[in-house]
């Protein structure tokens, strides 16, 4: 990058000057030089009134222009302009045909955007702006065209040739090559184009849609992985059925393809009828995938499938509207998982995720609204805010309108906008029109960044038998938004009597900065269960007394708030102890004091057979170190680590007998099945093992070694390894060596092995991570490897990343700089942890700022990394 990247603003949106009716692409695939011919049928945009003499402007990057012709006449070099960002020429009229020939190099494409090579296969990634790395094109989502794609390739290395839509024709060519022609009847933006070619195995199944369409379902994987596709296939069929039942949305083609590739920048991509996945979110069998992997596969397969309507049939007008498809689709996949598994457990997981990823983003230098106002590089805005907070916004609409009202709004949205590229406002308008409501204030969630903080106070008036609840909201300033408005949010409230009976369950609408809600006919001072089910995505500043939290842990009919009360209690205990630890020179046990009451409440949860096991496992997990860091300023990673471990040790010691019972009672001889109930049982047993080992009693480390050795599935194996990982026990080295010997050739499984070592709290972790960089399975060119070794070190090992001597920052900064030349998108994503400097003490903050300065001083820094590093440095 030479100059400062340009800032793109939402308010500058203008409709495209020219539209494209039809695109015909011909690929002559070759690893080194692929030739791409593109024939575009162009029409002036009536909205813009363009025509002859107007400039036509196409995006294009990193490729060679071979030729351009208009209406079959080749243009001379003085008839067009081409530079690093695109191609311009003058329109001859209102409709015309353009032929463009370009050359790209798939093998040299390490950014994994556009056309690239993964293992031996060719594949593409075009969202958000990868298509412009294949050919010159108006690469924006509001230009929708039908695509016909011809692929020519070597028959031996690429027997499989895939693109979007239906296969129209295929056959042999000279020189041991062959071809396939794919036609997609649905107009789509360029970001949904996809091509795959390679020697892949195929697993096939079928689905009959509600109206009787027989759809062929195919999953393509590397040879040898055919036995790992069952769960993804099953998830796909369940998603298709769920979308018909819950949203009335049916699949619209006769074929649905999924391809799993090893090198992929993110989780997966919803290209029309040709989803491309990061292999780790497809491949699973009991001895290679954990319960968590199964869960993620289910939700990501569903997410990408659901995009066929929320994203593809109705797409985004411009990239500022990204949450239109992503927030909605995340909400859809969360609800799907809730229906397939346990609703409260799913909500707990979704909220924990929101708190771990989105709240810190909203409270830091990269805070932005769900619908951002500006960006330098759109790939930097595939964020937890756009996705997860966007999903919370849709969830609030669902709460406000009720299931039926929401469905009416959804039906109107898809009816009204099928085949269009629209905005978040269009979505909200459909919800409003279908329900005759005004969502003006709720829509502020689209435009206002920052997590609101709520306080509440309850007063009981015995004479009037009235309970009055005063609630106030406040949102702290975020970059570019010093003043905040009051937001509209639904708050689900429960009032409980002394005997645990529910007196009231009601959802109130908070719309003011401060508001009073009155509950009549209340005969006693109630205990308040506030924001049940996390009905609004906010922080709660009000601290409830510990005895009320214990009461709620045991009595709340809202399972989410039972969990939440345990989290609040644990957080309060640990925060007080952390402060104490900093004063008492590092005596963590002394800092904790007497925690018997808390542990007694934990025992009750552990032993409450009415609660499902997955829920109990979640409720027994203490808030993580990253979460605690967010609550402290300055955050002291060492104090947080020591106090949390000390509490774990005390819980493990006091509840040793109970955990030992739990461990043994939940052993299973049955063959592994990935269903939610069996997974819950394994999770509870793993939690017990974790606490037993945390007690420090050596026999339990031996138990973990035994579990590792005897495991017949990856979940139990990883659970054992995860606890051994932090220990100085010979079993650790033995297990890690065994794991490597077993799975060394399996790239997806080896990511776990790298990740574990990067997350170890042992003193030798940084040295080990440095060594692992030269492990034969590690490469900076594979995003999964980079994320599991380097990303995990920064994001899941606060103690070592924030080592006070700066060694963690230094190592990390070197990697970011190195990675930026290989894959800017991944480098930019990994930069965020350095941006949290304002949360730390002066010494660490200075070192983190220096690290960002070093990143910013990199010659030829990418636009991606520049945007994140400069915003992180400035705030
Ligand atoms: N839409 C893709 C994400 C594309 C990311 C581009 N940097 C996957 C998804 O959200 O389903
Ligand atoms: Zn998505």
């Amino acid at each position: 990058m030479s100059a400062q990247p340009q800032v793109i603003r939402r308010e500058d949106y203008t409709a495209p000057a020219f539209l494209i009716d039809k695109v015909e692409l011909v690929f002559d695939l070759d690893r080194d030089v692929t030739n791409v011919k593109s024939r575009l049928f162009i029409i002036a945009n009536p909205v813009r009134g363009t025509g002859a003499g107007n400039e036509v402007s196409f995006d294009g990057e990193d490729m060679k222009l071979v030729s351009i012709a208009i209406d079959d006449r080749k243009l001379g070099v003085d008839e067009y302009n081409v530079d690093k960002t695109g191609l311009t020429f003058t329109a001859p009229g209102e409709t015309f045909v353009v032929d463009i020939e370009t050359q790209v190099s798939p093998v040299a494409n390490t950014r994994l955007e556009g056309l690239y090579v993964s293992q031996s296969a060719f594949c593409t990634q075009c969202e958000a702006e990868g298509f412009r790395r294949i050919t010159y094109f108006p690469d924006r989502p509001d230009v929708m065209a039908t695509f016909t794609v011809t692929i020519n390739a070597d028959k031996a290395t690429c027997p499989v040739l895939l693109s979007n839509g239906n296969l129209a024709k295929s056959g042999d060519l000279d020189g041991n090559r062959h071809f396939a022609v794919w036609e997609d009847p649905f107009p789509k933006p360029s970001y949904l184009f996809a091509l795959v070619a390679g020697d892949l195995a195929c697993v096939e199944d079928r689905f009959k849609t509600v109206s009787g369409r027989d759809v062929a379902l195919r999953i393509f994987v590397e040879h040898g992985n055919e036995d790992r596709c069952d769960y993804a296939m099953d998830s796909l069929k369940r998603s298709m059925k769920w979308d018909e039942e819950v949203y009335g949305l049916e699949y619209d083609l006769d074929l649905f393809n999924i391809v799993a590739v090893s090198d992929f920048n993110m989780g997966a991509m919803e290209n029309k009828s040709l989803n491309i996945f990061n292999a780790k979110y497809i491949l699973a069998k009991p001895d290679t995938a954990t319960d968590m992997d199964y869960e993620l596969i289910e939700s990501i397969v569903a997410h990408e499938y659901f995009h066929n309507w929320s994203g593809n049939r109705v797409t985004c007008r411009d990239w500022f509207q990204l949450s239109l498809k992503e927030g909605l689709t995340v909400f859809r996949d969360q609800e799907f998982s809730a229906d397939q598994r346990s609703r409260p457990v799913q909500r707990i997981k979704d909220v924990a995720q929101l708190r771990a990823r989105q709240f810190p983003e909203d409270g830091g230098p990269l805070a932005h609204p769900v619908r951002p106002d500006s960006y330098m590089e759109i790939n930097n805005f595939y964020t937890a805010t756009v996705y997860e907070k966007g999903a919370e916004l849709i969830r609030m609409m669902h709460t406000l309108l009720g299931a039926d009202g929401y469905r009416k709004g959804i039906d109107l949205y898809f009816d009204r906008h099928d085949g269009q590229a629209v905005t978040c406002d269009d979505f909200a308008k459909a919800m409003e029109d279908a329900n005759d409501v005004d969502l003006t204030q709720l829509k502020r969630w689209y435009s206002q960044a920052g997590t609101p903080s709520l306080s509440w106070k309850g007063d009981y008036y015995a004479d009037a038998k009235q309970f009055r609840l005063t609630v106030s909201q406040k949102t702290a300033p975020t970059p570019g938004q010093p003043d905040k408005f009051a937001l509209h949010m639904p708050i689900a409230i429960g009032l409980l009597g002394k005997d645990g009976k529910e007196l009231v369950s009601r959802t109130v609408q908070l719309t003011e900065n401060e508001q009073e809600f009155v509950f009549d006919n209340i005969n006693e001072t109630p205990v308040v269960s506030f924001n049940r089910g996390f009905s609004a995505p906010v922080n709660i500043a009000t601290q409830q007394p510990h005895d009320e939290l214990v009461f709620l842990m045991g009595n709340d009919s809202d399972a989410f708030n039972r969990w939440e009360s345990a989290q609040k209690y644990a957080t309060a205990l640990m925060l007080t102890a952390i402060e104490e630890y900093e004063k008492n020179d590092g005596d963590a046990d002394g800092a904790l004091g007497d925690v018997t009451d808390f542990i007694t409440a934990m025992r009750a949860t552990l032993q409450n057979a009415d609660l499902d096991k997955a829920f109990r496992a979640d409720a027994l997990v203490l808030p993580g170190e990253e979460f605690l860091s967010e609550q402290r300023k300055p955050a002291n990673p060492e104090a947080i680590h020591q106090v949390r471990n000390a509490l774990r040790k005390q819980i493990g010691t006091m509840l040793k007998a109970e955990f030992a019972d739990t461990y043994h009672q939940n052993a299973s001889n049955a063959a592994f099945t990935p269903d939610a109930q069996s997974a819950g049982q394994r999770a509870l047993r793993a939690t017990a093992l974790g606490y037993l080992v945390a007690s420090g009693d050596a026999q339990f480390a031996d138990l973990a070694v035994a579990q590792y050795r005897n495991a017949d599935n990856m979940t139990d194996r990883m659970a054992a390894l995860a606890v051994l990982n932090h220990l100085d026990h010979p079993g650790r080295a033995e297990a890690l060596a065994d794991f490597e010997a077993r799975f060394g050739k399996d790239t997806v499984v080896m990511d776990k092995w790298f990740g574990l070592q990067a997350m170890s709290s042992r003193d030798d972790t940084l040295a080990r991570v440095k060594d692992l960089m030269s492990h034969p399975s590690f490469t900076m060119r594979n995003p999964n490897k980079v994320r599991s070794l380097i990303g995990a070190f920064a994001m899941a090992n606060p103690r070592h990343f924030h080592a006070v001597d700066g060694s963690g920052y230094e190592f990390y900064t070197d990697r970011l700089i190195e990675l930026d030349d290989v894959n800017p998108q991944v480098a930019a994503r990994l930069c965020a942890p350095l941006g949290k400097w304002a949360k730390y003490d002066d010494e660490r903050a200075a070192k983190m700022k220096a690290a960002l300065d070093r990143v910013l001083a990199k010659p030829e820094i990418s636009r991606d990394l520049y945007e994140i590093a400069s915003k992180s440095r400035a705030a």
Side-chain angles (χ1 to χ4, degrees):
M1 199 197 74
S2 35
Q4 268 220 342
Q6 197 196 339
V7 175
I8 320 282
R9 290 178 207 285
R10 185 165 62 86
E11 63 193 19
D12 292 342
Y13 173 84
T14 43
F18 291 89
L19 301 174
I20 300 190
D21 205 28
K22 199 161 81 156
V23 179
E24 292 171 0
L25 297 170
V26 181
F27 287 83
D28 223 342
L29 288 179
D30 177 273
R31 289 167 66 88
D32 297 306
V33 183
T34 286
N35 207 77
V36 185
K37 289 191 182 125
S38 160
R39 190 167 173 84
L40 307 173
F41 296 80
I42 302 187
I43 38 174
N45 189 353
V47 174
R48 291 280 306 269
T50 40
N54 283 108
E55 186 183 81
V56 183
S57 171
F58 289 172
D59 305 293
E61 273 169 25
D62 265 2
M63 61 194 160
K64 185 171 156 202
L65 177 65
V66 178
S67 67
I68 166 167
I70 297 181
D71 292 332
D72 293 323
R73 186 184 68 82
K74 192 173 165 189
L75 298 193
V77 284
D78 54 342
E79 292 179 278
Y80 62 89
N81 261 308
V82 65
D83 65 16
K84 277 182 133 149
T85 63
L87 167 72
T88 54
F89 55 90
T90 306
E94 283 183 16
T95 62
F96 51 98
V97 179
V98 174
D99 283 284
I100 294 174
E101 188 173 337
T102 52
Q103 285 178 345
V104 296
S105 176
V107 81
N109 183 354
T110 62
R111 304 170 68 113
L112 315 186
E113 291 173 87
L115 176 67
Y116 65 94
V117 176
S118 175
Q119 307 283 65
S120 60
F122 293 90
C123 68
T124 54
Q125 171 55 36
C126 291
E127 188 177 0
E129 299 180 333
F131 194 73
R132 65 185 62 185
R133 296 166 54 77
I134 294 173
T135 182
Y136 292 93
F137 195 82
D139 193 14
R140 45 187 287 169
D142 55 355
V143 173
M144 298 172 85
T146 56
F147 281 65
T148 300
V149 180
T150 304
I151 310 169
N152 302 333
D154 178 58
K155 213 173 162 173
T157 53
C158 295
V160 173
L161 306 176
L162 304 171
S163 189
N164 318 88
N166 304 311
L167 180 65
K169 237 192 322 189
S170 61
D172 286 338
L173 297 167
D174 291 344
N176 299 319
R177 291 176 76 82
H178 68 153
F179 75 95
V181 181
W182 289 86
E183 285 176 357
D184 184 354
F186 291 96
K188 65 170 177 288
S190 49
Y191 83 86
L192 290 173
F193 161 81
L195 171 156
V196 172
D199 185 4
L200 299 167
C202 173
V203 173
E204 180 156 355
D205 205 333
R206 310 201 76 75
F207 180 83
K208 208 180 209 36
T209 69
V210 63
S211 72
R213 181 194 286 273
D214 198 18
V215 185
L217 311 176
R218 297 193 182 124
I219 300 183
F220 292 87
V221 292
E222 275 160 30
H223 289 284
N225 284 336
E226 294 91 325
D227 62 344
R228 298 192 199 183
C229 301
D230 294 353
Y231 197 70
M233 187 65 92
D234 182 54
S235 303
L236 175 60
K237 289 191 283 181
R238 283 184 284 120
S239 314
M240 294 176 87
K241 192 158 180 339
W242 186 89
D243 217 14
E244 291 179 347
E245 288 173 358
V246 181
Y247 276 76
L249 298 172
E250 192 177 339
Y251 189 60
D252 50 12
L253 283 162
D254 301 327
L255 179 60
F256 188 84
N257 286 324
I258 289 179
V259 181
V261 299
S262 307
D263 304 279
F264 207 64
N265 281 347
M266 63 270 173
M269 178 63 211
E270 70 263 25
N271 317 297
K272 182 79 186 185
S273 74
L274 178 50
N275 286 188
I276 300 181
F277 270 66
N278 187 325
K280 77 184 264 195
Y281 297 122
I282 290 294
L283 303 180
K285 57 181 180 182
D287 53 337
T288 63
T290 61
D291 288 318
M292 168 101 86
D293 295 325
Y294 279 96
E295 222 174 281
L296 286 168
I297 289 169
E298 178 178 77
S299 75
I300 299 177
V301 166
H303 179 99
E304 305 311 328
Y305 173 72
F306 295 154
H307 269 314
N308 188 54
W309 277 93
S310 50
N312 301 2
R313 287 287 287 258
V314 181
T315 193
C316 302
R317 185 194 71 174
D318 55 74
W319 291 121
F320 295 104
Q321 319 297 329
L322 185 56
S323 196
L324 171 79
K325 72 177 178 83
E326 295 305 349
L328 175 56
T329 306
V330 171
F331 175 65
R332 276 150 60 64
D333 85 54
Q334 290 177 345
E335 286 298 288
F336 166 73
S337 295
D339 284 346
Q340 303 290 310
R341 295 168 176 256
S342 146
R343 183 160 281 274
V345 171
Q346 183 63 34
R347 188 65 185 139
I348 289 167
K349 286 196 181 359
D350 293 337
V351 172
Q353 170 88 342
L354 184 80
R355 271 195 193 131
R357 297 182 47 230
Q358 200 278 327
F359 281 18
E361 185 168 271
D362 233 354
L366 301 172
H368 55 275
V370 168
R371 184 188 55 207
D373 293 316
S374 67
Y375 61 76
M376 293 178 197
E377 168 53 59
I378 186 55
N379 281 320
N380 287 333
F381 284 79
Y382 287 74
T383 58
T385 298
V386 167
Y387 276 65
E388 271 83 28
K389 189 177 182 180
E392 292 299 320
L393 203 178
I394 305 292
R395 184 177 294 276
M396 285 188 284
M397 289 188 187
H398 186 278
T399 306
L400 280 177
L401 303 174
D404 292 345
Y406 172 81
R407 176 62 195 273
K408 276 200 266 170
I410 284 288
D411 289 350
L412 180 60
Y413 171 68
F414 286 118
D415 249 26
R416 200 182 256 181
H417 297 297
D418 189 11
Q420 297 177 3
V422 303
T423 63
C424 298
D425 285 326
D426 293 322
F427 180 82
K429 186 81 173 57
M431 288 288 158
E432 292 183 322
D433 291 353
N435 290 283
D436 203 14
V437 291
D438 180 355
L439 297 177
T440 309
Q441 195 185 359
L442 191 80
K443 278 171 56 184
R444 283 186 186 155
W445 284 93
Y446 278 119
S447 53
Q448 182 164 293
T451 307
S453 172
L454 265 54
S455 303
W456 59 268
K457 190 175 158 303
D459 291 300
Y460 180 61
Y461 297 91
D463 295 347
K465 291 194 183 336
Q466 219 174 45
F467 183 70
R468 290 167 175 255
L469 189 66
T470 313
V471 184
S472 61
Q473 61 168 306
K474 195 171 171 348
T475 304
T478 52
Q481 288 188 340
D483 303 311
K484 301 291 183 179
F485 297 103
L487 296 171
H488 177 187
M489 56 189 95
I491 308 288
I493 307 273
L495 300 181
L496 280 74
K498 299 249 152 10
D499 56 358
K501 247 190 36 216
E502 185 157 281
L503 308 173
V504 171
S505 166
R506 190 203 297 173
T507 299
V508 300
Q509 306 301 325
L510 179 68
T511 53
E512 310 290 327
N513 280 323
E514 185 170 313
Q515 211 170 332
E516 188 186 64
F517 302 99
V518 179
F519 299 83
D520 287 314
N521 302 319
I522 307 291
N523 293 317
E524 58 182 303
T525 310
V527 175
V528 180
S529 170
F530 193 79
N531 203 28
R532 281 183 158 178
F534 212 62
S535 56
V538 297
N539 277 313
I540 310 293
T542 302
Q543 300 276 347
Q544 257 171 305
H546 292 174
D547 59 337
E548 282 192 15
L549 294 174
V550 172
F551 179 81
L552 292 170
M553 282 167 74
N555 294 290
D556 203 329
S557 65
D558 181 64
F560 175 83
N561 263 4
R562 283 190 173 217
W563 171 81
E564 181 77 328
S565 303
Q567 293 286 297
K568 281 186 179 151
Y569 194 172
T571 304
L573 275 186
M574 288 191 283
L575 290 179
T576 312
I578 289 160
E579 234 171 281
E580 193 52 42
Y581 176 97
E582 286 168 348
K583 282 188 245 153
N584 79 5
D585 285 336
D587 167 16
D589 284 315
L592 274 169
D594 184 0
V595 287
T596 315
D597 289 350
F598 174 70
I599 295 179
T600 305
M602 293 289 261
R603 177 190 288 117
T605 302
L606 172 64
Q607 295 184 326
N608 187 342
D610 292 340
L611 301 171
D612 79 36
K613 291 180 179 176
F615 174 87
R616 280 187 266 162
D618 281 344
L620 292 165
V621 175
L622 299 178
E625 292 179 29
E626 296 86 347
F627 175 80
L628 294 167
S629 317
E630 289 295 323
Q631 324 297 314
R632 291 278 306 158
K633 200 172 171 180
N636 178 341
E638 187 61 28
I640 291 170
H641 179 75
Q642 296 302 347
V643 164
R644 187 173 182 276
N645 270 5
L647 182 55
R648 280 180 53 79
K649 183 172 181 176
Q650 292 208 29
I651 299 171
T653 307
M654 270 186 72
L655 302 185
K656 202 181 279 182
E658 292 83 344
F659 279 128
D661 281 352
T662 306
Y663 185 81
H664 295 296
Q665 283 160 10
N666 285 288
S668 162
N669 292 322
F672 179 97
T673 54
D675 62 284
Q677 215 184 337
S678 321
Q681 179 167 339
R682 283 185 290 270
L684 186 58
R685 187 163 182 260
T687 305
L689 178 66
Y691 277 115
L692 290 169
V693 172
S695 75
D697 186 337
Q699 57 163 317
F700 297 118
D702 297 339
L703 186 65
V705 174
Q707 172 165 324
Y708 179 88
R709 286 188 191 140
N710 301 329
D712 66 353
N713 64 75
M714 183 56 90
T715 307
D716 291 342
R717 191 181 293 289
M718 278 299 282
L721 199 45
V723 293
L724 290 172
N725 189 35
H726 304 292
L727 305 183
D728 241 335
H729 186 284
R732 177 184 188 264
E734 177 204 311
L736 282 171
D738 173 84
F739 195 100
E740 186 184 9
R742 266 174 210 268
F743 302 109
K745 293 204 166 31
D746 191 320
T747 170
V748 168
V749 180
M750 280 301 276
D751 289 340
K752 300 186 193 304
W753 185 81
F754 283 108
L756 270 173
Q757 296 179 76
M759 289 185 279
S760 171
S761 60
R762 285 164 53 101
D763 290 336
D764 61 354
T765 293
L766 178 56
R768 183 67 188 144
V769 170
K770 287 181 180 168
D771 282 351
L772 286 171
M773 299 254 328
S774 38
H775 188 279
S777 304
F778 183 83
T779 158
M780 288 291 262
R781 288 187 61 157
N782 178 268
N784 287 0
K785 290 284 169 296
V786 171
R787 283 186 285 253
S788 33
L789 186 63
I790 298 167
F793 175 75
M795 297 184 192
N797 201 339
R799 183 170 176 234
H800 285 302
F801 178 62
H802 294 287
V804 75
D805 64 359
S807 52
Y809 307 142
E810 198 176 301
F811 162 77
Y812 197 66
T813 308
D814 290 340
R815 300 293 80 74
L816 287 183
I817 292 172
E818 186 182 337
L819 186 60
D820 192 44
D821 289 327
V822 180
N823 190 327
Q825 197 182 128
V826 176
R829 274 205 164 234
L830 292 190
C831 185
L834 286 174
K836 296 205 179 145
W837 55 265
K839 296 243 170 246
Y840 292 89
D841 54 88
D842 293 347
E843 194 178 347
R844 287 189 174 89
K847 289 185 169 130
M848 293 169 86
K849 286 193 271 186
L852 288 168
D853 287 337
R854 200 146 73 78
V855 169
L856 287 165
K858 172 186 181 273
E860 302 288 311
I861 186 173
S862 68
R863 182 168 70 212
D864 312 55
L865 185 56
Y866 176 84
E867 177 170 37
I868 302 293
S870 59
K871 288 181 176 171
S872 301
R873 180 65 179 83

